[in-house]
Each structure stands twice: as structure tokens, then as C-alpha cells.
Amino acid sequence: MPESSDQAEGPRTYLSPYRQEDSEEFTALARESRELHHPWLFPPTTPEDYTPYARRLVEDPTRTGFLVRTWDDHRIAGFVNINNIVQGAFLSGTLGYGAFAHAAGRGLLSEGLGQVIRHAFGPMRLHRLEANIQPANAASLALVRRAGFRLEGFSPDFLHIDGAWRDHERWAITAESAESAEHLTHHQETP
């Protein structure tokens, strides 16, 4: 059963914090998803690598992470992390995320990302979230477009991934634009 939390829930998914007891499931899913994730991201594939990864997301005040789980079987469908959290006048964070192979293409990460956005702009009181995406990563670009992010720019040689400096597109959403997108989506779904 899921732990109770003040985090947003969706019709098919809910968020849970990273826990050490999730290391076997998370890393097994990461190993099964290597082909899906390569060359975009490299989540930990062993419990020994999971421990410091999860610890940073739990203990470092400039990061937080969420596992996206399905209500039907409570299995981990993916993850959404907020890194580089800056307080003060900026109130911003940078997203990192991924779906696991068994959940890819089912809209579960989209639902989970929406929950994280609401949590970031609600209880966390952030103003801006950014996602930096390699231009050829069509699935990730589609995900942020669906969530209401806007393209803000292009950053050459931005992040060192898979042995090389990679170009990235810079996408962002603010609390105001998310609220507007949420209102429009809700209005369109209401008869």
C-alpha cells in the first residue's frame, strides 16, 4: 500500500519518495530499460549505485525525487527528480525523469510529471521548472510539450552524457503558465 502523503495523486498513478527498500525493484527496472534509456539517461542499475543516488535525492536540500507508481499494482512506472533547486528570488529547479520500459508509451509518466509540477508549484512554492533535452529525444520533447513547457533556447555542448558534451534544448514552465495550461485542459474536458 502507498504511504500517505500530501503529494498530488492521479487516476492511474501516485508519487512516492525514494526509499532504500525500493533499490531492487528500481535497479531491475533500470536494467530492463537500458535500450529505452540509451543514449539519453543512465539511472542506477545496481543496488550499490542506487543507495547514494537515492540518498542525495532525500538528503540534499537542492534536490528532491519522486517515484511514479501505478495504483493497480503499486509498481514503479518511472521517476521525476527536481535538481538544482534554488530558493530566494529564483525559486527554480531543473527536472530529470524517465519511464521504465514496461510503462513507456502509456501516459503514466505524463500523469506523474503533472503531479510533480503541481507539487513543485504548490507545497514546494517554486516558480519555475526547467527541462534540458537533447534535440533528438523525441519522446522527452513530446512529454514536456504535453505538460505545457515552452521552448526557451538552445545550449550547445551543455551536458556531458555518454562520453561526450551534448547539445540541449532548454524548455521551461512557470507557475503562472502551468496554472493557465491546467485551466485550459480542465475547461476543454468539461462538457
Side-chain angles (χ1 to χ4, degrees), residues 35-81:
E35 188 174 319
L36 173 67
H37 292 160
H38 187 268
W40 318 118
L41 70 149
F42 301 88
T45 57
T46 67
E48 296 77 23
D49 290 338
Y50 175 89
T51 297
Y53 171 82
R55 184 177 294 133
R56 283 190 303 271
L57 289 164
V58 171
E59 295 176 1
D60 183 341
T62 67
R63 302 171 189 226
T64 191
F66 306 93
L67 299 176
V68 178
R69 294 181 176 274
T70 54
W71 280 113
D72 60 353
D73 59 8
H74 307 290
R75 197 168 176 204
I76 300 171
F79 56 92
V80 181
N81 302 327

Side-chain angles (χ1 to χ4, degrees), residues 60-64 82-94 120 124-130:
D60 183 341
T62 67
R63 302 171 189 226
T64 191
I82 306 175
N83 301 296
N84 306 319
I85 297 171
V86 179
Q87 298 296 328
F90 199 32
L91 294 175
S92 181
T94 304
M124 290 181 69
R125 299 189 184 280
L126 294 179
H127 177 257
R128 173 187 169 85
L129 291 172
E130 189 170 298

Side-chain angles (χ1 to χ4, degrees), residues 125-146:
R125 299 189 184 280
L126 294 179
H127 177 257
R128 173 187 169 85
L129 291 172
E130 189 170 298
N132 296 293
I133 304 165
Q134 293 180 57
N137 189 343
S140 189
L141 292 171
L143 176 71
V144 297
R145 280 187 190 108
R146 279 192 305 274

